[in-house]
Amino acid sequence: MRECLKLTAECPSCSLALFCVHHQAEMLVEQVRPQTVKKYRHILRHEALFLPNHKFQNLYVISHGVFKAYQIEADGKERIRGFYFPGEILGFEAIYTDSYRVTATALSEALVCEIPYEHFLESVQDKPGLQQRCLYLFSKQLNVGSYLAAATALQRLAAFLLDLSERLHSTEAGTQFIIPMSRQDIGNYLRLSGETISRLLSQMHKSKIIALKYKKIRILQAKRLQEMAAGC
Amino acid sequence: MRECLKLTAECPSCSLALFCVHHQAEMLVEQVRPQTVKKYRHILRHEALFLPNHKFQNLYVISHGVFKAYQIEADGKERIRGFYFPGEILGFEAIYTDSYRVTATALSEALVCEIPYEHFLESVQDKPGLQQRCLYLFSKQLNVGSYLAAATALQRLAAFLLDLSERLHSTEAGTQFIIPMSRQDIGNYLRLSGETISRLLSQMHKSKIIALKYKKIRILQAKRLQEMAAGC
DNA sequence: CGCTGGATTGAGGCCGATCAACTTCAGTGG
DNA sequence: CCACTGAAGTTGATCGGCCTCAATCCAGCG
């Protein structure tokens, strides 16, 4: 990881598409006006990519790192609306509202491709293939987090782990990966307390469904997890 | 209402755009290949517009009536994923999955414009204005139901009522409207029991925040509702 | 080494679910 | 018009899952 970021910083003219080979987003970066593609931004841990009520101007393709998008509620509490992984796009929601509604901060050192929405529109117009690709990505975003509606804590967490595994799959080997966010953040997103997440993870660990050591996790029985997510 | 449907049945060649003047969807219907626009479908109460695992082929612009989209979980229980109102579009989620993931049934007699996705793509390509409009609608859909993440039952219900009011606004006068779905369905969508919905509505009625008589509701203190939705 | 923030684990309390009884509504046919 | 009937809504009592608060543990890091 560290190496990747170094490479980027040292060699800005090299094909940065390397970082966007995940999912379908690389096409976007490649096809949206080459001269703007160079606009890569390096984001530090805890740094904000954009803030609420800021005018919507750019879409951001994440090439490295993980982001969380959250709002501060009236009671002052943080409410996490979603996590974003390499190859995914931040900012779609703001097209409608014309300003960002959330704060997007990096959970770790990150790298994003900044795509001005106007350039995006022009490119999409020119290239029919790109248009379909974008509709596809858009539609995909609509399907994200469908498991949030699940009834029990166990169902939601099981589905979340499978989701994490899938969305991190391209960067991490096999079924083992590093959970990039805190228990508290997972709980916040799933509408559970951090303690509940901790308890359930311990329980899954004891029943050999996952191997767990702090942030390092390995899914041992994906089928069982799927059953749990389905509510069996 | 009855009158509208009658008019349509009797006069299929007249400007059906009349039924789609809500929100931004009318443009879609008008601009997507006139010869396909005529494909209006009359849907009966409880009839399904599409079923899970059916191949994705059409988008549906709702011109009249209300739909609910739901899945049947492993435990056999129904899980409502969303409600769709006149002027809104059904099917966006299926672009990614290439098959519908939910059942969409009409809560009342309904009328929809069936738009083949292929024709949709062609039209969007031809007309840049339409493209932006669609991205806007798409983005809007991403923002729907953001209140589902709210912590308490009261917060979610308050937000739901405001949402209902807004999305039905074009068909119903003022702040009074008919709740088109059952208490059970509201509860299902908000992850609450029908009894809880009933109790909370009664409570709101007693505290003069709403006027309520079965399915007929009038919002008396929208500001209070907004405060409740925000968690104050 | 000690410090610090996150993670774990336990005890008690509350919100909302479930179960059940009753009421009201809407549709049907006499 | 009314009686009948099944579905939906209301209301009350009890129960359980998850939250809150708190103490302790642990890994990472200067």
Side-chain angles (χ1 to χ4, degrees), chain A residues 15-32:
Chain A
S15 172
L16 292 168
L18 272 176
F19 296 98
C20 295
V21 292
H22 323 302
H23 311 269
Q24 278 67 33
E26 86 277 14
M27 289 291 284
L28 194 63
V29 175
E30 283 168 8
Q31 294 193 14
V32 175

Side-chain angles (χ1 to χ4, degrees), chain A residues 90-129:
Chain A
L90 263 163
F92 277 152
E93 288 87 351
I95 295 173
Y96 170 62
T97 50
D98 201 41
S99 63
Y100 302 102
R101 300 279 88 167
V102 297
T103 305
T105 62
L107 293 177
S108 56
E109 207 179 358
L111 200 66
V112 301
C113 323
E114 187 175 278
I115 300 181
Y117 187 56
E118 293 193 2
H119 295 167
F120 171 81
L121 282 177
E122 288 168 22
S123 300
V124 171
Q125 244 173 69
D126 295 346
K127 304 171 184 180

Side-chain angles (χ1 to χ4, degrees), chain A:
Chain A
M1 302 285 201
R2 181 64 50 87
E3 215 172 349
C4 291
L5 293 183
K6 223 176 194 171
L7 179 65
T8 306
E10 290 174 352
C11 179
S13 62
C14 75
S15 172
L16 292 168
L18 272 176
F19 296 98
C20 295
V21 292
H22 323 302
H23 311 269
Q24 278 67 33
E26 86 277 14
M27 289 291 284
L28 194 63
V29 175
E30 283 168 8
Q31 294 193 14
V32 175
R33 306 185 99 218
Q35 69 271 24
T36 69
V37 170
K38 299 282 171 53
K39 275 200 158 184
Y40 272 69
R41 270 179 61 184
H42 199 152
I43 311 287
L44 297 177
R45 184 175 151 92
H46 295 147
E47 190 184 343
L49 187 55
F50 50 74
L51 297 170
N53 300 320
H54 278 201
K55 174 146 179 63
F56 168 61
Q57 287 181 314
N58 302 308
L59 293 175
Y60 298 93
V61 179
I62 303 172
S63 52
H64 183 84
V66 177
F67 286 81
K68 73 170 176 181
Y70 65 91
Q71 289 176 315
I72 302 298
E73 300 293 306
D75 55 7
K77 285 182 183 169
E78 182 177 309
R79 164 123 285 136
I80 297 177
R81 310 312 291 226
F83 297 106
Y84 294 82
F85 301 92
E88 298 181 348
I89 300 179
L90 263 163
F92 277 152
E93 288 87 351
I95 295 173
Y96 170 62
T97 50
D98 201 41
S99 63
Y100 302 102
R101 300 279 88 167
V102 297
T103 305
T105 62
L107 293 177
S108 56
E109 207 179 358
L111 200 66
V112 301
C113 323
E114 187 175 278
I115 300 181
Y117 187 56
E118 293 193 2
H119 295 167
F120 171 81
L121 282 177
E122 288 168 22
S123 300
V124 171
Q125 244 173 69
D126 295 346
K127 304 171 184 180
L130 186 59
Q131 179 179 79
Q132 271 185 261
R133 201 168 285 277
C134 285
L135 285 170
Y136 177 84
L137 282 172
F138 236 118
S139 176
K140 187 176 183 178
Q141 201 64 36
L142 281 174
N143 286 280
V144 166
S146 57
Y147 53 80
L148 286 175
T152 70
L154 195 60
Q155 275 179 285
R156 295 205 290 279
L157 180 57
F160 179 78
L161 292 179
L162 291 169
D163 185 34
L164 253 193
S165 167
E166 194 183 318
R167 290 162 79 186
L168 284 173
H169 177 257
S170 43
T171 45
E172 307 286 344
T175 54
Q176 179 165 339
F177 56 93
I178 302 293
I179 302 176
M181 67 291 285
S182 69
R183 307 287 196 262
Q184 201 67 43
D185 279 355
I186 297 174
N188 190 316
Y189 180 58
L190 300 178
R191 302 184 320 279
L192 297 167
S193 68
E195 292 91 327
T196 296
I197 301 298
S198 192
R199 267 183 262 269
L200 291 179
L201 284 177
S202 297
Q203 185 184 309
M204 286 177 178
H205 181 56
K206 274 179 196 158
S207 33
K208 311 279 188 196
I209 293 165
I210 59 171
L212 181 72
K213 201 178 179 190
Y214 303 97
K215 292 201 166 303
K216 204 161 126 188
I217 187 175
R218 177 189 290 275
I219 294 176
L220 300 175
Q221 302 184 48
K223 282 183 186 172
R224 282 287 305 280
L225 267 187
Q226 280 158 7
E227 287 166 10
M228 289 163 80
C232 305

Side-chain angles (χ1 to χ4, degrees), chain B residues 183-195:
Chain B
R183 307 288 196 261
Q184 201 68 43
D185 280 354
I186 298 174
N188 191 315
Y189 180 58
L190 300 178
R191 301 184 322 278
L192 297 167
S193 69
E195 292 93 325

